[in-house]
Amino acid sequence: MMPFEIAEPRSLREAIGLLGRDDPSVRPIAGGTALMLMMKAGVFRPTRLVSLRSIEPAFARTTLGAEGELRIGALASLSSLEHSQAVLNGAPVIAKALRTLSNVRVRNVATVGGHLAHADPHMDLPPVLIALGARVSVLGPSCDRLIPVENLFAGYYETVLARDELIAELIVPPQGGRRAAYLKCTTRSADDWPALGVAVALDTDGTAVHEARIVISAATHKPTRPVAAEAILRDGISDAVLRRAGAAAAEEAGVISDTHGSAAYKRQLVRVYVERAVRAALAIPTGKQRRA
Amino acid sequence: MVPTAAQQTIRFTLNGKPVEARILPHHNLVEMLQDFGLFGARESCGQGLCGCCTVLVNGNAVSGCLYLAAFIDGADVVTVEHLASAGTLSPVQEAFLETGAFQCGFCTPGFVLMVHQLLDRNPEPTEEDIRHYLSGNLCRCASYREIIQAVRSAAEKRKSCATG
Ligand SMILES: Cc1cc2nc3c(=O)[nH]c(=O)nc-3n(C[C@H](O)[C@H](O)[C@H](O)COP(=O)(O)OP(=O)(O)OC[C@H]3O[C@@H](n4cnc5c(N)ncnc54)[C@H](O)[C@@H]3O)c2cc1C
Ligand code: FES
Ligand code: FES
C-alpha cells in the first residue's frame, strides 16, 4: 500500500472538520475492512485517513427504546449487533442476516456505518434495512439530516453523502407485528458474494396484507424496491398472488449480468426467491414441502 | 492533531507484556508482528478470507492482513505464540497434534486461535456450530475432517480440565 497519514480525532464533529469537501484522497476509516481491500488493490490511494475509532463511545452503542425503536451507533461492530439482545428483540431478521455475512473476523471489525457507506450492491444489510424502513442520521459541517436507507444509495459503490458528512446512527423504527425475512442466493461457494439478495417485510392479518415491502439487491446496481410486485401482494396471500408477485419483481427490478450470473438467470432467481422470501417471512411451507 | 506520514510510536500489550513499536501508518498488523520476530500470523490471501493471519485484539479475532498497525495503539494483542508460552501446549494445540489436523501446517495457527475463541464462547459446539464458526478459515491441504475432530477433542479436554 502507498503511504498516507492517519488522523485520530476524539469526536465525530472534529472528524467532520478534518474531512473537507473537496479532496477525494481524504476519507473516514472505521473498521477499515472495505478500505484496506481497496487500498491494497490500489483502487483507492489516500493521502490522509480520518479514523473514527477514538470518537465518543456513545456512537458504538445499540439501544432498544420503549416503543421498539432500535438505535444503532455507526461505530457498532457487526458482531456486536449479531449478539445484541436489543437487535434480537427489535429486529431479529438483522441478527439472522448477519450470521451469513462474511466471517467472524470481518464481523468483529466491520462497523455499521462503514457497511452502509461502502455501498457495494452485494452487501447484505442494506436490503434488510430498507425493508424495515430504517433511516440513518447523518452529521455534516453545517447541517444534520435524516436519510431513509432507501435513499442513501446513488448507484454502484456510491452514496448521496458529501465527503464531509458522516453517518452517526442507524434508526430502525418499531416493527410491531411486521414479519420480515432475508434470503440470499450464492452461485459459487456458500460464503461467496450473493448473486441475489431478497428482503421482505410484511404487515399482515391472516392472508390479508396491509403493507408489503420487497427489496432486491446484488442482482441490481443498487438495492431496488419492485413496487408493482409489492402492490400485487396487497391483493392478499395465495399461491397465485405469490407467483404473480415473483414474476412482476423479475420484470421490474432492473437485473444486470455480472460474474455471478447472466441477467436472464438472475431474473429467474428473482422470480423464485421473492416467493420464497414471502413464504419464509410468513412461515408458509413451499409447494414442495407441502407435497412431501 | 494530525501526525505526518512519517513513523509513529504506538504502545500496546503484546502477549502479556507492555511494548512499544515504531510503525508506518500504512503498515498492517501482520507486518508489524514480523518486526517482533512473530511469524505465526502470516498473510496468505490478504483479503480477509482465509484466516492464516488471525490475531486476537482485545479478545476478538481479527484478520491481521486487513488491520492497520496504527489501530493497535493501546490494545491487548495475543498471537498464537502466546498459547504455549508457559512451556506446555494448550488443549487445542494438543488436540490438533493428536488428531493430525494439518498437513503442511500453514493454516494451523489461524485455526488454533479461532478454535480457542469458539470454545471460549461456546464450550460445547455442535458440528454445525463448528463449521459455521470456522467458515472463514481455509485449509488448502483440506484437513477439514480432522480439524473438526480436533475441535471436538479439544472441547472434551477443556471440559475435563475445568472439572479438575
Ligand atoms: C473477506 C470479506 C468478506 C465480506 N463478505 C461480505 C458479505 O458476505 N456480505 C456483506 O454484506 N459484506 C461483506 N463484506 C463487506 C463488509 O461488510 C464491509 O467491508 C464492512 O461492512 C465495511 O465496514 P468497515 O467499518 O470496515 O468500513 P471501512 O472500510 O472503514 O469504510 C468503508 C467505507 O465507508 C466509509 N465510512 C466508514 N464509516 C463511515 C461513517 N460513519 N460515515 C460515512 N462514511 C463512513 C469509508 O470512508 C469507506 O468509504 C466482506 C468484507 C470482507 C473483507
Ligand atoms: S491473509 Fe488475512 S485472511 Fe487471508
Ligand atoms: S494444513 Fe496445509 S493449508 Fe491447512
PDB file of all heavy atoms in Angstrom, chain A residues 1-6 30 36-37 40 51 53 99 103-105 108-109 191, chain B residues 2-3 25-26 43 46 48 51 54 61-63 65-67 71 132 136-137:
ATOM      1  N   MET A   1       0.837  -1.202   0.000  1.00  0.00           N
ATOM      2  CA  MET A   1       0.000   0.000   0.000  1.00  0.00           C
ATOM      3  C   MET A   1       0.866   1.243   0.000  1.00  0.00           C
ATOM      4  O   MET A   1       1.969   1.243   0.494  1.00  0.00           O
ATOM      5  CB  MET A   1      -0.896  -0.008   1.253  1.00  0.00           C
ATOM      6  CG  MET A   1      -2.012  -1.040   1.172  1.00  0.00           C
ATOM      7  SD  MET A   1      -3.288  -0.863   2.428  1.00  0.00           S
ATOM      8  CE  MET A   1      -2.383  -0.504   3.918  1.00  0.00           C
ATOM      9  N   MET A   2       0.321   2.314  -0.549  1.00  0.00           N
ATOM     10  CA  MET A   2       1.030   3.593  -0.587  1.00  0.00           C
ATOM     11  C   MET A   2       0.991   4.239   0.808  1.00  0.00           C
ATOM     12  O   MET A   2       0.013   4.095   1.516  1.00  0.00           O
ATOM     13  CB  MET A   2       0.325   4.534  -1.565  1.00  0.00           C
ATOM     14  CG  MET A   2       0.206   3.996  -2.964  1.00  0.00           C
ATOM     15  SD  MET A   2       1.727   4.208  -3.865  1.00  0.00           S
ATOM     16  CE  MET A   2       1.742   5.991  -4.042  1.00  0.00           C
ATOM     17  N   PRO A   3       2.017   4.980   1.168  1.00  0.00           N
ATOM     18  CA  PRO A   3       1.997   5.675   2.458  1.00  0.00           C
ATOM     19  C   PRO A   3       0.893   6.728   2.529  1.00  0.00           C
ATOM     20  O   PRO A   3       0.514   7.298   1.508  1.00  0.00           O
ATOM     21  CB  PRO A   3       3.370   6.358   2.534  1.00  0.00           C
ATOM     22  CG  PRO A   3       4.192   5.696   1.503  1.00  0.00           C
ATOM     23  CD  PRO A   3       3.266   5.184   0.446  1.00  0.00           C
ATOM     24  N   PHE A   4       0.388   6.936   3.736  1.00  0.00           N
ATOM     25  CA  PHE A   4      -0.597   8.006   3.971  1.00  0.00           C
ATOM     26  C   PHE A   4      -0.509   8.389   5.439  1.00  0.00           C
ATOM     27  O   PHE A   4       0.214   7.747   6.202  1.00  0.00           O
ATOM     28  CB  PHE A   4      -2.017   7.520   3.634  1.00  0.00           C
ATOM     29  CG  PHE A   4      -2.393   6.211   4.251  1.00  0.00           C
ATOM     30  CD1 PHE A   4      -2.725   6.113   5.599  1.00  0.00           C
ATOM     31  CD2 PHE A   4      -2.388   5.042   3.477  1.00  0.00           C
ATOM     32  CE1 PHE A   4      -3.056   4.891   6.168  1.00  0.00           C
ATOM     33  CE2 PHE A   4      -2.723   3.807   4.044  1.00  0.00           C
ATOM     34  CZ  PHE A   4      -3.059   3.738   5.392  1.00  0.00           C
ATOM     35  N   GLU A   5      -1.216   9.440   5.823  1.00  0.00           N
ATOM     36  CA  GLU A   5      -1.247   9.771   7.257  1.00  0.00           C
ATOM     37  C   GLU A   5      -2.598   9.416   7.849  1.00  0.00           C
ATOM     38  O   GLU A   5      -3.584   9.274   7.121  1.00  0.00           O
ATOM     39  CB  GLU A   5      -0.925  11.236   7.528  1.00  0.00           C
ATOM     40  CG  GLU A   5      -1.023  12.189   6.373  1.00  0.00           C
ATOM     41  CD  GLU A   5      -0.899  13.626   6.832  1.00  0.00           C
ATOM     42  OE1 GLU A   5      -1.910  14.238   7.243  1.00  0.00           O
ATOM     43  OE2 GLU A   5       0.224  14.127   6.767  1.00  0.00           O
ATOM     44  N   ILE A   6      -2.602   9.239   9.169  1.00  0.00           N
ATOM     45  CA  ILE A   6      -3.853   8.929   9.858  1.00  0.00           C
ATOM     46  C   ILE A   6      -4.105  10.006  10.910  1.00  0.00           C
ATOM     47  O   ILE A   6      -3.223  10.310  11.712  1.00  0.00           O
ATOM     48  CB  ILE A   6      -3.786   7.571  10.583  1.00  0.00           C
ATOM     49  CG1 ILE A   6      -3.515   6.456   9.588  1.00  0.00           C
ATOM     50  CG2 ILE A   6      -5.102   7.290  11.311  1.00  0.00           C
ATOM     51  CD1 ILE A   6      -3.470   5.089  10.222  1.00  0.00           C
ATOM     52  N   ALA A  30     -13.372   3.468   9.418  1.00  0.00           N
ATOM     53  CA  ALA A  30     -13.977   2.943  10.650  1.00  0.00           C
ATOM     54  C   ALA A  30     -13.310   1.609  10.956  1.00  0.00           C
ATOM     55  O   ALA A  30     -12.217   1.571  11.506  1.00  0.00           O
ATOM     56  CB  ALA A  30     -15.484   2.837  10.481  1.00  0.00           C
ATOM     57  N   MET A  36      -9.267  -1.254   3.397  1.00  0.00           N
ATOM     58  CA  MET A  36      -7.985  -1.956   3.266  1.00  0.00           C
ATOM     59  C   MET A  36      -7.940  -2.717   1.938  1.00  0.00           C
ATOM     60  O   MET A  36      -6.926  -2.707   1.245  1.00  0.00           O
ATOM     61  CB  MET A  36      -7.770  -2.934   4.421  1.00  0.00           C
ATOM     62  CG  MET A  36      -7.425  -2.279   5.744  1.00  0.00           C
ATOM     63  SD  MET A  36      -5.799  -1.492   5.774  1.00  0.00           S
ATOM     64  CE  MET A  36      -4.718  -2.884   6.106  1.00  0.00           C
ATOM     65  N   LEU A  37      -9.051  -3.372   1.599  1.00  0.00           N
ATOM     66  CA  LEU A  37      -9.079  -4.109   0.331  1.00  0.00           C
ATOM     67  C   LEU A  37      -8.885  -3.146  -0.839  1.00  0.00           C
ATOM     68  O   LEU A  37      -8.136  -3.437  -1.774  1.00  0.00           O
ATOM     69  CB  LEU A  37     -10.412  -4.843   0.160  1.00  0.00           C
ATOM     70  CG  LEU A  37     -10.636  -6.072   1.025  1.00  0.00           C
ATOM     71  CD1 LEU A  37     -11.968  -6.721   0.684  1.00  0.00           C
ATOM     72  CD2 LEU A  37      -9.505  -7.080   0.830  1.00  0.00           C
ATOM     73  N   LYS A  40      -5.254  -1.918  -0.835  1.00  0.00           N
ATOM     74  CA  LYS A  40      -4.320  -2.957  -1.267  1.00  0.00           C
ATOM     75  C   LYS A  40      -4.393  -3.151  -2.771  1.00  0.00           C
ATOM     76  O   LYS A  40      -3.382  -3.409  -3.419  1.00  0.00           O
ATOM     77  CB  LYS A  40      -4.647  -4.279  -0.572  1.00  0.00           C
ATOM     78  CG  LYS A  40      -4.203  -4.318   0.878  1.00  0.00           C
ATOM     79  CD  LYS A  40      -4.494  -5.670   1.474  1.00  0.00           C
ATOM     80  CE  LYS A  40      -3.583  -5.921   2.661  1.00  0.00           C
ATOM     81  NZ  LYS A  40      -3.617  -7.320   3.077  1.00  0.00           N
ATOM     82  N   SER A  51      -9.535   8.533  11.147  1.00  0.00           N
ATOM     83  CA  SER A  51     -10.026   7.366  11.872  1.00  0.00           C
ATOM     84  C   SER A  51     -11.164   7.757  12.809  1.00  0.00           C
ATOM     85  O   SER A  51     -11.074   8.749  13.535  1.00  0.00           O
ATOM     86  CB  SER A  51      -8.879   6.747  12.667  1.00  0.00           C
ATOM     87  OG  SER A  51      -9.414   5.829  13.599  1.00  0.00           O
ATOM     88  N   ARG A  53     -12.168   5.697  15.175  1.00  0.00           N
ATOM     89  CA  ARG A  53     -12.086   4.746  16.281  1.00  0.00           C
ATOM     90  C   ARG A  53     -12.054   5.396  17.655  1.00  0.00           C
ATOM     91  O   ARG A  53     -12.431   4.775  18.632  1.00  0.00           O
ATOM     92  CB  ARG A  53     -10.841   3.885  16.112  1.00  0.00           C
ATOM     93  CG  ARG A  53     -10.845   3.141  14.813  1.00  0.00           C
ATOM     94  CD  ARG A  53      -9.488   2.557  14.556  1.00  0.00           C
ATOM     95  NE  ARG A  53      -9.044   1.803  15.708  1.00  0.00           N
ATOM     96  CZ  ARG A  53      -9.388   0.556  15.955  1.00  0.00           C
ATOM     97  NH1 ARG A  53     -10.166  -0.077  15.122  1.00  0.00           N
ATOM     98  NH2 ARG A  53      -8.946  -0.068  17.017  1.00  0.00           N
ATOM     99  N   ARG A  99     -25.505 -13.615  10.412  1.00  0.00           N
ATOM    100  CA  ARG A  99     -24.850 -14.921  10.566  1.00  0.00           C
ATOM    101  C   ARG A  99     -24.107 -15.349   9.308  1.00  0.00           C
ATOM    102  O   ARG A  99     -23.057 -15.975   9.395  1.00  0.00           O
ATOM    103  CB  ARG A  99     -25.890 -15.989  10.922  1.00  0.00           C
ATOM    104  CG  ARG A  99     -25.968 -16.292  12.410  1.00  0.00           C
ATOM    105  CD  ARG A  99     -26.966 -17.388  12.688  1.00  0.00           C
ATOM    106  NE  ARG A  99     -26.485 -18.723  12.355  1.00  0.00           N
ATOM    107  CZ  ARG A  99     -25.632 -19.418  13.083  1.00  0.00           C
ATOM    108  NH1 ARG A  99     -25.141 -18.917  14.181  1.00  0.00           N
ATOM    109  NH2 ARG A  99     -25.261 -20.634  12.712  1.00  0.00           N
ATOM    110  N   ASN A 103     -17.336 -13.362   7.546  1.00  0.00           N
ATOM    111  CA  ASN A 103     -16.917 -14.336   8.557  1.00  0.00           C
ATOM    112  C   ASN A 103     -16.711 -13.653   9.904  1.00  0.00           C
ATOM    113  O   ASN A 103     -16.789 -12.427  10.010  1.00  0.00           O
ATOM    114  CB  ASN A 103     -15.642 -15.056   8.091  1.00  0.00           C
ATOM    115  CG  ASN A 103     -14.499 -14.083   7.837  1.00  0.00           C
ATOM    116  OD1 ASN A 103     -14.199 -13.225   8.652  1.00  0.00           O
ATOM    117  ND2 ASN A 103     -13.857 -14.216   6.681  1.00  0.00           N
ATOM    118  N   VAL A 104     -16.456 -14.453  10.937  1.00  0.00           N
ATOM    119  CA  VAL A 104     -16.355 -13.942  12.315  1.00  0.00           C
ATOM    120  C   VAL A 104     -15.370 -12.773  12.405  1.00  0.00           C
ATOM    121  O   VAL A 104     -15.656 -11.749  13.026  1.00  0.00           O
ATOM    122  CB  VAL A 104     -15.875 -15.059  13.277  1.00  0.00           C
ATOM    123  CG1 VAL A 104     -15.665 -14.535  14.681  1.00  0.00           C
ATOM    124  CG2 VAL A 104     -16.878 -16.209  13.286  1.00  0.00           C
ATOM    125  N   ARG A 105     -14.199 -12.905  11.787  1.00  0.00           N
ATOM    126  CA  ARG A 105     -13.169 -11.870  11.955  1.00  0.00           C
ATOM    127  C   ARG A 105     -13.584 -10.550  11.322  1.00  0.00           C
ATOM    128  O   ARG A 105     -13.347  -9.481  11.886  1.00  0.00           O
ATOM    129  CB  ARG A 105     -11.832 -12.350  11.380  1.00  0.00           C
ATOM    130  CG  ARG A 105     -11.188 -13.482  12.143  1.00  0.00           C
ATOM    131  CD  ARG A 105      -9.860 -13.864  11.521  1.00  0.00           C
ATOM    132  NE  ARG A 105      -9.997 -14.036  10.082  1.00  0.00           N
ATOM    133  CZ  ARG A 105     -10.445 -15.142   9.505  1.00  0.00           C
ATOM    134  NH1 ARG A 105     -10.771 -16.186  10.242  1.00  0.00           N
ATOM    135  NH2 ARG A 105     -10.566 -15.213   8.189  1.00  0.00           N
ATOM    136  N   ASN A 108     -16.218  -8.936  13.456  1.00  0.00           N
ATOM    137  CA  ASN A 108     -15.660  -8.371  14.689  1.00  0.00           C
ATOM    138  C   ASN A 108     -15.142  -6.947  14.485  1.00  0.00           C
ATOM    139  O   ASN A 108     -15.064  -6.168  15.420  1.00  0.00           O
ATOM    140  CB  ASN A 108     -14.482  -9.223  15.188  1.00  0.00           C
ATOM    141  CG  ASN A 108     -14.948 -10.441  15.960  1.00  0.00           C
ATOM    142  OD1 ASN A 108     -16.107 -10.514  16.363  1.00  0.00           O
ATOM    143  ND2 ASN A 108     -14.050 -11.405  16.157  1.00  0.00           N
ATOM    144  N   VAL A 109     -14.753  -6.634  13.265  1.00  0.00           N
ATOM    145  CA  VAL A 109     -14.074  -5.360  12.996  1.00  0.00           C
ATOM    146  C   VAL A 109     -14.955  -4.385  12.209  1.00  0.00           C
ATOM    147  O   VAL A 109     -14.950  -3.183  12.469  1.00  0.00           O
ATOM    148  CB  VAL A 109     -12.752  -5.635  12.225  1.00  0.00           C
ATOM    149  CG1 VAL A 109     -12.067  -4.339  11.851  1.00  0.00           C
ATOM    150  CG2 VAL A 109     -11.818  -6.515  13.064  1.00  0.00           C
ATOM    151  N   ASP A 191     -19.959 -19.143   0.934  1.00  0.00           N
ATOM    152  CA  ASP A 191     -19.566 -17.884   1.569  1.00  0.00           C
ATOM    153  C   ASP A 191     -19.228 -16.808   0.538  1.00  0.00           C
ATOM    154  O   ASP A 191     -18.708 -15.749   0.858  1.00  0.00           O
ATOM    155  CB  ASP A 191     -18.369 -18.113   2.506  1.00  0.00           C
ATOM    156  CG  ASP A 191     -17.176 -18.683   1.760  1.00  0.00           C
ATOM    157  OD1 ASP A 191     -17.340 -19.068   0.584  1.00  0.00           O
ATOM    158  OD2 ASP A 191     -16.084 -18.728   2.350  1.00  0.00           O
TER     159      ASP A 191
ATOM    160  N   VAL B   2      -2.811  16.105  13.641  1.00  0.00           N
ATOM    161  CA  VAL B   2      -2.579  15.229  12.506  1.00  0.00           C
ATOM    162  C   VAL B   2      -1.107  14.852  12.434  1.00  0.00           C
ATOM    163  O   VAL B   2      -0.255  15.696  12.171  1.00  0.00           O
ATOM    164  CB  VAL B   2      -2.980  15.942  11.190  1.00  0.00           C
ATOM    165  CG1 VAL B   2      -2.751  15.023  10.020  1.00  0.00           C
ATOM    166  CG2 VAL B   2      -4.420  16.406  11.256  1.00  0.00           C
ATOM    167  N   PRO B   3      -0.782  13.583  12.689  1.00  0.00           N
ATOM    168  CA  PRO B   3       0.618  13.184  12.570  1.00  0.00           C
ATOM    169  C   PRO B   3       1.041  13.161  11.101  1.00  0.00           C
ATOM    170  O   PRO B   3       0.196  13.093  10.226  1.00  0.00           O
ATOM    171  CB  PRO B   3       0.640  11.774  13.164  1.00  0.00           C
ATOM    172  CG  PRO B   3      -0.767  11.298  13.129  1.00  0.00           C
ATOM    173  CD  PRO B   3      -1.659  12.482  13.034  1.00  0.00           C
ATOM    174  N   PRO B  25       2.070   4.440   9.151  1.00  0.00           N
ATOM    175  CA  PRO B  25       0.602   4.391   9.178  1.00  0.00           C
ATOM    176  C   PRO B  25      -0.011   3.395   8.196  1.00  0.00           C
ATOM    177  O   PRO B  25      -1.100   2.898   8.434  1.00  0.00           O
ATOM    178  CB  PRO B  25       0.194   5.817   8.804  1.00  0.00           C
ATOM    179  CG  PRO B  25       1.355   6.663   9.197  1.00  0.00           C
ATOM    180  CD  PRO B  25       2.571   5.814   9.001  1.00  0.00           C
ATOM    181  N   HIS B  26       0.688   3.077   7.096  1.00  0.00           N
ATOM    182  CA  HIS B  26       0.073   2.173   6.124  1.00  0.00           C
ATOM    183  C   HIS B  26       0.482   0.717   6.329  1.00  0.00           C
ATOM    184  O   HIS B  26       0.136  -0.143   5.522  1.00  0.00           O
ATOM    185  CB  HIS B  26       0.384   2.635   4.697  1.00  0.00           C
ATOM    186  CG  HIS B  26       1.845   2.563   4.337  1.00  0.00           C
ATOM    187  ND1 HIS B  26       2.757   3.454   4.812  1.00  0.00           N
ATOM    188  CD2 HIS B  26       2.518   1.697   3.554  1.00  0.00           C
ATOM    189  CE1 HIS B  26       3.949   3.149   4.332  1.00  0.00           C
ATOM    190  NE2 HIS B  26       3.837   2.075   3.572  1.00  0.00           N
ATOM    191  N   GLU B  43       0.426 -13.687   6.250  1.00  0.00           N
ATOM    192  CA  GLU B  43      -0.506 -13.201   5.231  1.00  0.00           C
ATOM    193  C   GLU B  43      -0.514 -14.177   4.068  1.00  0.00           C
ATOM    194  O   GLU B  43       0.517 -14.538   3.536  1.00  0.00           O
ATOM    195  CB  GLU B  43      -0.088 -11.801   4.765  1.00  0.00           C
ATOM    196  CG  GLU B  43      -1.090 -11.223   3.792  1.00  0.00           C
ATOM    197  CD  GLU B  43      -1.084  -9.684   3.749  1.00  0.00           C
ATOM    198  OE1 GLU B  43      -0.622  -9.044   4.711  1.00  0.00           O
ATOM    199  OE2 GLU B  43      -1.560  -9.151   2.735  1.00  0.00           O
ATOM    200  N   GLY B  46      -4.568 -12.245   1.930  1.00  0.00           N
ATOM    201  CA  GLY B  46      -4.509 -10.791   2.053  1.00  0.00           C
ATOM    202  C   GLY B  46      -5.852 -10.099   1.923  1.00  0.00           C
ATOM    203  O   GLY B  46      -5.924  -8.890   1.783  1.00  0.00           O
ATOM    204  N   GLY B  48      -8.887 -11.144   3.912  1.00  0.00           N
ATOM    205  CA  GLY B  48      -9.864 -11.434   4.955  1.00  0.00           C
ATOM    206  C   GLY B  48     -10.583 -12.758   4.800  1.00  0.00           C
ATOM    207  O   GLY B  48     -11.487 -13.064   5.566  1.00  0.00           O
ATOM    208  N   GLY B  51      -7.988 -16.615   6.953  1.00  0.00           N
ATOM    209  CA  GLY B  51      -7.737 -16.778   8.387  1.00  0.00           C
ATOM    210  C   GLY B  51      -6.306 -17.114   8.770  1.00  0.00           C
ATOM    211  O   GLY B  51      -6.015 -17.282   9.954  1.00  0.00           O
ATOM    212  N   THR B  54      -4.816 -14.694  11.450  1.00  0.00           N
ATOM    213  CA  THR B  54      -5.637 -14.417  12.638  1.00  0.00           C
ATOM    214  C   THR B  54      -4.798 -13.970  13.845  1.00  0.00           C
ATOM    215  O   THR B  54      -3.788 -14.598  14.173  1.00  0.00           O
ATOM    216  CB  THR B  54      -6.451 -15.683  13.014  1.00  0.00           C
ATOM    217  OG1 THR B  54      -7.272 -16.020  11.908  1.00  0.00           O
ATOM    218  CG2 THR B  54      -7.319 -15.431  14.251  1.00  0.00           C
ATOM    219  N   ALA B  61     -11.032 -12.087  17.595  1.00  0.00           N
ATOM    220  CA  ALA B  61     -10.230 -12.495  16.444  1.00  0.00           C
ATOM    221  C   ALA B  61     -10.378 -11.473  15.328  1.00  0.00           C
ATOM    222  O   ALA B  61     -11.490 -11.030  15.022  1.00  0.00           O
ATOM    223  CB  ALA B  61     -10.692 -13.869  15.957  1.00  0.00           C
ATOM    224  N   VAL B  62      -9.264 -11.091  14.725  1.00  0.00           N
ATOM    225  CA  VAL B  62      -9.303 -10.200  13.562  1.00  0.00           C
ATOM    226  C   VAL B  62      -8.379 -10.777  12.488  1.00  0.00           C
ATOM    227  O   VAL B  62      -7.516 -11.603  12.774  1.00  0.00           O
ATOM    228  CB  VAL B  62      -8.852  -8.755  13.914  1.00  0.00           C
ATOM    229  CG1 VAL B  62      -9.585  -8.229  15.140  1.00  0.00           C
ATOM    230  CG2 VAL B  62      -7.344  -8.658  14.110  1.00  0.00           C
ATOM    231  N   SER B  63      -8.574 -10.323  11.256  1.00  0.00           N
ATOM    232  CA  SER B  63      -7.644 -10.654  10.181  1.00  0.00           C
ATOM    233  C   SER B  63      -6.535  -9.601  10.195  1.00  0.00           C
ATOM    234  O   SER B  63      -6.779  -8.436   9.880  1.00  0.00           O
ATOM    235  CB  SER B  63      -8.351 -10.616   8.818  1.00  0.00           C
ATOM    236  OG  SER B  63      -9.082 -11.797   8.614  1.00  0.00           O
ATOM    237  N   CYS B  65      -4.245  -9.090   8.227  1.00  0.00           N
ATOM    238  CA  CYS B  65      -3.942  -8.547   6.896  1.00  0.00           C
ATOM    239  C   CYS B  65      -4.811  -7.349   6.562  1.00  0.00           C
ATOM    240  O   CYS B  65      -4.478  -6.578   5.673  1.00  0.00           O
ATOM    241  CB  CYS B  65      -4.101  -9.632   5.826  1.00  0.00           C
ATOM    242  SG  CYS B  65      -5.816 -10.132   5.529  1.00  0.00           S
ATOM    243  N   LEU B  66      -5.966  -7.194   7.249  1.00  0.00           N
ATOM    244  CA  LEU B  66      -6.868  -6.071   6.968  1.00  0.00           C
ATOM    245  C   LEU B  66      -6.905  -5.094   8.134  1.00  0.00           C
ATOM    246  O   LEU B  66      -7.821  -4.285   8.235  1.00  0.00           O
ATOM    247  CB  LEU B  66      -8.301  -6.584   6.710  1.00  0.00           C
ATOM    248  CG  LEU B  66      -8.547  -7.426   5.473  1.00  0.00           C
ATOM    249  CD1 LEU B  66     -10.035  -7.731   5.328  1.00  0.00           C
ATOM    250  CD2 LEU B  66      -8.037  -6.717   4.226  1.00  0.00           C
ATOM    251  N   TYR B  67      -5.939  -5.194   9.035  1.00  0.00           N
ATOM    252  CA  TYR B  67      -5.986  -4.387  10.255  1.00  0.00           C
ATOM    253  C   TYR B  67      -4.770  -3.471  10.278  1.00  0.00           C
ATOM    254  O   TYR B  67      -3.632  -3.944  10.263  1.00  0.00           O
ATOM    255  CB  TYR B  67      -5.966  -5.328  11.464  1.00  0.00           C
ATOM    256  CG  TYR B  67      -6.652  -4.774  12.681  1.00  0.00           C
ATOM    257  CD1 TYR B  67      -8.012  -4.988  12.891  1.00  0.00           C
ATOM    258  CD2 TYR B  67      -5.943  -4.026  13.621  1.00  0.00           C
ATOM    259  CE1 TYR B  67      -8.643  -4.478  14.012  1.00  0.00           C
ATOM    260  CE2 TYR B  67      -6.574  -3.512  14.737  1.00  0.00           C
ATOM    261  CZ  TYR B  67      -7.928  -3.744  14.931  1.00  0.00           C
ATOM    262  OH  TYR B  67      -8.556  -3.241  16.040  1.00  0.00           O
ATOM    263  N   PHE B  71      -3.958   1.005  14.470  1.00  0.00           N
ATOM    264  CA  PHE B  71      -5.160   0.777  15.282  1.00  0.00           C
ATOM    265  C   PHE B  71      -4.874  -0.030  16.546  1.00  0.00           C
ATOM    266  O   PHE B  71      -5.740  -0.221  17.389  1.00  0.00           O
ATOM    267  CB  PHE B  71      -6.220   0.036  14.461  1.00  0.00           C
ATOM    268  CG  PHE B  71      -6.912   0.902  13.432  1.00  0.00           C
ATOM    269  CD1 PHE B  71      -6.592   2.242  13.284  1.00  0.00           C
ATOM    270  CD2 PHE B  71      -7.902   0.367  12.617  1.00  0.00           C
ATOM    271  CE1 PHE B  71      -7.233   3.038  12.348  1.00  0.00           C
ATOM    272  CE2 PHE B  71      -8.548   1.156  11.675  1.00  0.00           C
ATOM    273  CZ  PHE B  71      -8.217   2.491  11.539  1.00  0.00           C
ATOM    274  N   HIS B 132     -19.803 -23.462  11.032  1.00  0.00           N
ATOM    275  CA  HIS B 132     -20.180 -22.065  10.841  1.00  0.00           C
ATOM    276  C   HIS B 132     -19.071 -21.140  11.330  1.00  0.00           C
ATOM    277  O   HIS B 132     -18.656 -20.215  10.627  1.00  0.00           O
ATOM    278  CB  HIS B 132     -21.487 -21.779  11.586  1.00  0.00           C
ATOM    279  CG  HIS B 132     -21.891 -20.349  11.531  1.00  0.00           C
ATOM    280  ND1 HIS B 132     -22.345 -19.758  10.376  1.00  0.00           N
ATOM    281  CD2 HIS B 132     -21.870 -19.371  12.456  1.00  0.00           C
ATOM    282  CE1 HIS B 132     -22.602 -18.480  10.606  1.00  0.00           C
ATOM    283  NE2 HIS B 132     -22.323 -18.222  11.857  1.00  0.00           N
ATOM    284  N   GLY B 136     -14.698 -19.002   7.803  1.00  0.00           N
ATOM    285  CA  GLY B 136     -13.770 -18.018   7.251  1.00  0.00           C
ATOM    286  C   GLY B 136     -12.314 -18.461   7.345  1.00  0.00           C
ATOM    287  O   GLY B 136     -11.413 -17.633   7.233  1.00  0.00           O
ATOM    288  N   ASN B 137     -12.068 -19.751   7.570  1.00  0.00           N
ATOM    289  CA  ASN B 137     -10.700 -20.271   7.591  1.00  0.00           C
ATOM    290  C   ASN B 137     -10.554 -21.340   6.521  1.00  0.00           C
ATOM    291  O   ASN B 137     -11.348 -22.277   6.451  1.00  0.00           O
ATOM    292  CB  ASN B 137     -10.369 -20.874   8.967  1.00  0.00           C
ATOM    293  CG  ASN B 137     -10.170 -19.811  10.014  1.00  0.00           C
ATOM    294  OD1 ASN B 137     -11.109 -19.095  10.348  1.00  0.00           O
ATOM    295  ND2 ASN B 137      -8.955 -19.688  10.516  1.00  0.00           N
TER     296      ASN B 137
END
